Amino acid sequence: MPRPFGARNDKNFMEKINIKIDGKEYSADSGQTILEVARENGIDVPSLCYHPDLQTRSTCRMCLVEIKGQKDLKTSCSTPVAENMEVLTESPRINRARKINLELIFAQHQEECPDCVWFFNCQLLKLAKRFGVKITRFPDRKIQRKITQCGPIVFDQTKCIDCRNCVDVCPVDFLSVENRGADISIENSQDEWKECIACGQCILHCPVGAIEGVGEFEEAQELGIKKKKMRVVQFAPAIRTSIGEEFDLKPGEIVTGQLVAALRKLGFDKVFDTSVGADFTTFEEAGELLERLKSGKNLPAFSSCCPSWVKFVEFYYPEFVPNLCTSRSPQTMLGGVIKNYWAQKEGFKPEDIEVVSVMPCVAKKYEIKREEMKINGLFPVDKVLTTREIAYLIKKNKIDLKNIAAGEADDPFGMPSGAGVIYGASGGVFESALRTVYFKATGKNPAGDEFKRVRGQEGIKINEITIGDKIIKSVVVNGIRNARKMLEELKKNPQAFQAMEVMACPGGCIGGGGQPVPTNSQLRKKRAAALYDIDAKKEFRCAHENPALQKVYKEFFVSEEIIRPILHTSYAPKKKSAIMTLKNSKETR
Amino acid sequence: MADLIEKIKDSGLTGRGGAGFPTGKKWEAVKSTPGKKKFVIANGSEGEPAVGKDGWLLENYPEEIIAGIRLALETFKAQKAFIYLNKNYFEKYSENLKKIIRELPIEIFREPGGYLCGEETTLIESLENKRLEPRNKPPYPTEAGLENCPTLVNNLETFYAVAQIAKGEYKQERLYTISGDVSHPGVFELPENWPIEKILHKTLNWPIEDFFVQVGGGASGVILTMEELENKVTGSGAIVVYDRKKTDPGTLMKKWLDFYFQENCGKCVPCREGVYRLRELLKQEEINWELVKEVCLVLREASFCPLGKSVAAPLESLIMKVIKR
Ligand code: SF4
Ligand code: SF4
Ligand code: SF4
Ligand code: FES
């Protein structure tokens, strides 16, 4: 995403300069903004619309500062530093303007705090307290606005403060600013050629919780009622290094054991690890990749674990649908294995089991409802809760995740390989597949870091991978805008790649739309690094080494006829889905 | 030729669009910023009530405007110039302008929106077919304007003045649009340093009755009383005379706010919300003047662009000097 000033991205222009903030000297890089420098030095300048992932729009006007020698107050998020600049971030003049401004913002925003993504971390409330704002001098202006839903995403205009972060972050331009002045509103696209792919990035980047996943958080509460004989929960790879943030732990802190214990305390009968599902996915996908490389058909092979990416292909690039690997995503993979293999073994009927997934992702809510997912008429997963939702439940039940004694996930799906864990980071799916491809091609396991090159947060990573006598031209992508570029490239040059991994969210699932707020590249880096730490310490780094997986294949998946319906799915071009109106707007003024 | 910029600087000419930035400095910035291409834009958006001088120039001195634009094109070796006209002016003057332009690389552009399009970065957005709202500054248009290239945006009258400077005929005059409760409304060319009082007398517009004036523009202009007429005219050169007996201040405020309500783009909080709240506040039986003033303050201090910043001045001065609250 382009940034107007970005010395950090543009090393050539970096130059050290000196500035004074609130009377103290600081050194800064030319091209940085005042806000960036202030933040780096622990000075808390209020802001709402500023987001390090996005281009600066300066719509909220909260970050005003005084600059010596300049008549007008300036927004620090948009003003680059200059040599010898003297800045004040607090003064009676600034605070007076900020306070009234904040009141005006509040009067746009219909508070629904207990039910909000930001409840435990709300900037608005913090600022209100800091500036002693009376929230009631102006009547709420947007009570009568509408609430819409598209797929699993709910857009609530009554809370929107018109900052436009969602519009800028949406990779498919599904959201747009309509009308002018006080009538401005953020609208879902009615364009028949535009579709929301449910990535949830708009949720993460909305400063005031005006967009949320469906059921957030009402649905989480229904969990209290057990509806079936056996209730199973599985948790995704990317959760274990992110959920700690919800409990004031350091970003990237590994809390797998505590999470398991907390889930158990919430009353689930069994706690399984979706990373084991990922091992199944790897195993199947590696097979597909090898087969396609051999036959030359449907190349490049596309990864298909990310439902937003899958939907993107189905809707925007249907000509590429055959390229998607048919292996299921880890959660529906494991769901299928649980309801078929495990059910049989434990003496349950598939319909006696409720499978709940804890995912870093909102699109997973959509994925489980896809008709193509059904096995013998039954959905493999019944419910998806996001990282945020499960954190909310844990807090609500007064479970102290920080200090709870660590538990262990249940057999037989509690012990993943390292490959299954790195699924949560961009490059992880492909690296896992490569480890198994390597084994299948050479009969040996690769060194743990053999395919390290595909890791990292960059949006597009192009690599030629040599395995035995094979060279695989590959690209690993995160972010749908980048994916679009690569698909356009493929249209021009179909031979450009043979394998392509795509995750819709920045950095992969660790930056997923269901993850804790706030989000930024530093946090994502730490969450990812921790996953690789787990991997490095694992006895088994490859999916095919996982004894649980080997056992299931030996006992159950003995033929293609059994494997196909349970471990694979299908895709087809999709039409635009309906935009539902949950609450209609009335006359607004 | 090389010293045209020096001549402009020596003349002390400031932009006639309203912001009053020194023209020589602007030209120098465009000249000295390297760019693949450069552009020149003559701004004839003229969307504020009670301002009519650009129309008057288009009617009477189109050759001079184009001479000024041509000088800019030559000075910057610019690729292209635009004459940016509001819908009325476009309909009325395009044909005639084209006859004067002939082979010059000057395009006449029809403004797609309202008042805000006169703001230079919004104007550029509109030329690029984007949503009509201002850009962050910096970068300034002189560094990265149209197509991100160095771009000069000047008011039509500024080009007219530059043409005179080049010929050595500039007389430190500017155009005044006089309207309201006067007997000889119109556009007048008079010395730029004359006090309002002298201008009203000279144009035979001195009202006999008790009055106050709005100076600068018919929406953004500040209110001055009879005692303050030794001041010079600022902004885009408008003087609106209000007969105290005939003028209801409430109606006047409503008129201004309706205008701003209609014309603001909605991008930033203070202007979008502030203008809305002011309109609501002034509809009340009992007006909460304190709150009105607070909202004015945030508009002035925190708005994104000149439109929002300018809402406060007329209101605050009217409230203080005429309504006396
Ligand atoms: S969920 Fe993703 S695709 Fe849908 S509107 Fe939000 S950002 Fe856009
Ligand atoms: S929905 Fe949220 S992110 Fe989008 S404009 Fe409104 S407040 Fe900003
Ligand atoms: S002040 Fe703000 S809302 Fe008003 S016109 Fe300028 S940018 Fe738009
Ligand atoms: S944070 Fe700078 S204007 Fe919103």
Side-chain angles (χ1 to χ4, degrees), chain B residues 142-173:
Chain B
T142 50
E143 306 151 23
L146 188 59
E147 297 176 21
N148 269 323
C149 297
T151 302
L152 177 87
V153 187
N154 269 155
N155 179 251
L156 291 190
E157 188 187 341
T158 314
F159 285 105
Y160 167 75
V162 167
Q164 292 176 324
I165 291 170
K167 284 191 287 184
E169 291 170 7
Y170 180 58
K171 296 194 299 265
Q172 314 281 333
E173 290 184 339

Side-chain angles (χ1 to χ4, degrees), chain A residues 73-91:
Chain A
L73 299 178
K74 290 278 153 69
T75 42
S76 56
C77 66
S78 67
T79 310
V81 291
E83 184 65 39
N84 294 328
M85 188 181 245
E86 287 183 36
V87 180
L88 275 185
T89 71
E90 295 253 10
S91 74

Side-chain angles (χ1 to χ4, degrees), chain A residues 477-496:
Chain A
V477 180
N478 64 82
I480 287 297
R481 286 197 178 94
N482 295 327
R484 191 188 283 275
K485 273 188 221 150
M486 291 299 104
L487 290 179
E488 288 302 324
E489 171 72 31
L490 278 174
K491 272 184 169 174
K492 275 184 265 153
N493 175 12
Q495 300 328 252

Side-chain angles (χ1 to χ4, degrees), chain A residues 47-50 58-61 63 75 77:
Chain A
S47 72
L48 285 169
C49 70
Y50 168 77
S58 310
T59 55
C60 82
R61 319 304 291 172
C63 67
T75 42
C77 66

Side-chain angles (χ1 to χ4, degrees), chain A residues 298-369:
Chain A
N298 295 333
L299 286 174
F302 292 171
S303 68
S304 58
C305 314
C306 169
S308 284
W309 157 240
V310 168
K311 189 166 185 192
F312 179 73
V313 173
E314 290 177 323
F315 185 83
Y316 292 95
Y317 289 89
E319 66 269 36
F320 284 108
V321 164
N323 296 68
L324 290 162
C325 285
T326 56
S327 313
R328 286 171 183 261
S329 74
Q331 70 148 348
T332 54
M333 192 69 108
L334 191 58
V337 173
I338 291 169
K339 287 195 180 177
N340 293 279
Y341 162 80
W342 186 75
Q344 212 179 69
K345 237 176 115 86
E346 299 285 316
F348 290 108
K349 288 201 286 280
E351 48 276 20
D352 287 341
I353 304 176
E354 183 187 8
V355 175
V356 178
S357 301
V358 182
M359 296 283 126
C361 176
V362 204
K364 297 280 176 192
K365 289 187 189 250
Y366 147 78
E367 180 186 42
I368 58 167
K369 303 255 163 67

Side-chain angles (χ1 to χ4, degrees), chain B residues 207 215 303:
Chain B
V215 167
S303 291

Side-chain angles (χ1 to χ4, degrees), chain B residues 18-263:
Chain B
F21 190 82
T23 306
K25 260 192 168 169
K26 219 181 205 183
W27 282 55
E28 191 161 55
V30 177
K31 172 99 187 169
S32 64
T33 310
K36 269 204 307 289
K37 295 185 197 170
K38 292 190 182 181
F39 296 104
V40 171
I41 301 170
N43 184 354
S45 159
E46 198 155 72
E48 187 167 2
V51 187
K53 68 193 179 64
D54 291 342
W56 184 86
L57 278 177
L58 286 164
E59 182 75 44
N60 297 300
Y61 295 100
E63 294 85 0
E64 299 289 299
I65 297 173
I66 287 167
I69 297 171
R70 185 179 186 158
L71 287 166
L73 280 167
E74 288 163 3
T75 306
F76 309 131
K77 301 194 177 49
Q79 268 59 32
K80 191 171 177 184
F82 295 86
I83 302 181
Y84 190 89
L85 299 180
N86 70 35
K87 295 173 190 98
N88 274 340
Y89 293 172
F90 184 88
E91 306 292 317
K92 228 166 143 186
Y93 300 114
S94 287
E95 283 314 308
N96 188 34
L97 284 170
K98 274 188 207 142
K99 282 184 208 141
I100 309 168
I101 291 169
R102 293 207 221 185
E103 303 297 303
L104 289 172
I106 303 177
E107 181 184 330
I108 307 174
F109 189 89
R110 183 177 189 267
E111 173 183 75
Y115 176 49
L116 186 59
C117 287
E119 189 280 326
E120 57 179 3
T121 62
T122 310
L123 183 155
I124 290 169
E125 293 283 284
S126 80
L127 284 172
E128 292 181 356
N129 214 355
K130 305 222 179 84
R131 193 180 151 87
L132 305 178
E133 49 188 36
R135 294 182 183 173
N136 249 327
K137 293 194 276 191
Y140 292 91
T142 50
E143 306 151 23
L146 188 59
E147 297 176 21
N148 269 323
C149 297
T151 302
L152 177 87
V153 187
N154 269 155
N155 179 251
L156 291 190
E157 188 187 341
T158 314
F159 285 105
Y160 167 75
V162 167
Q164 292 176 324
I165 291 170
K167 284 191 287 184
E169 291 170 7
Y170 180 58
K171 296 194 299 265
Q172 314 281 333
E173 290 184 339
R174 70 172 299 172
L175 298 175
Y176 298 95
T177 314
I178 303 179
S179 63
D181 299 320
V182 292
S183 38
H184 301 94
V187 175
F188 304 88
E189 192 171 14
L190 293 167
E192 59 178 1
N193 59 0
W194 276 18
I196 298 161
E197 188 170 7
K198 190 161 173 190
I199 295 166
L200 288 178
H201 279 302
K202 174 78 181 181
T203 57
L204 306 177
N205 275 321
W206 186 262
I208 316 153
E209 296 297 325
D210 190 11
F211 69 99
F212 58 89
V213 295
Q214 186 179 19
V215 167
S220 68
V222 68
I223 296 294
L224 298 176
T225 61
M226 290 174 77
E227 290 75 46
E228 295 173 297
L229 300 183
E230 76 286 1
N231 279 298
K232 286 187 280 179
V233 174
T234 47
S236 40
I239 306 174
V240 193
V241 175
Y242 294 100
D243 184 332
R244 270 204 198 230
K245 271 205 228 105
K246 286 200 282 183
T247 310
D248 169 41
T251 315
L252 195 52
M253 287 194 290
K254 181 169 181 318
K255 198 179 93 189
W256 294 334
L257 285 168
D258 285 351
F259 176 76
Y260 282 118
F261 187 76
Q262 180 68 36
E263 302 297 332

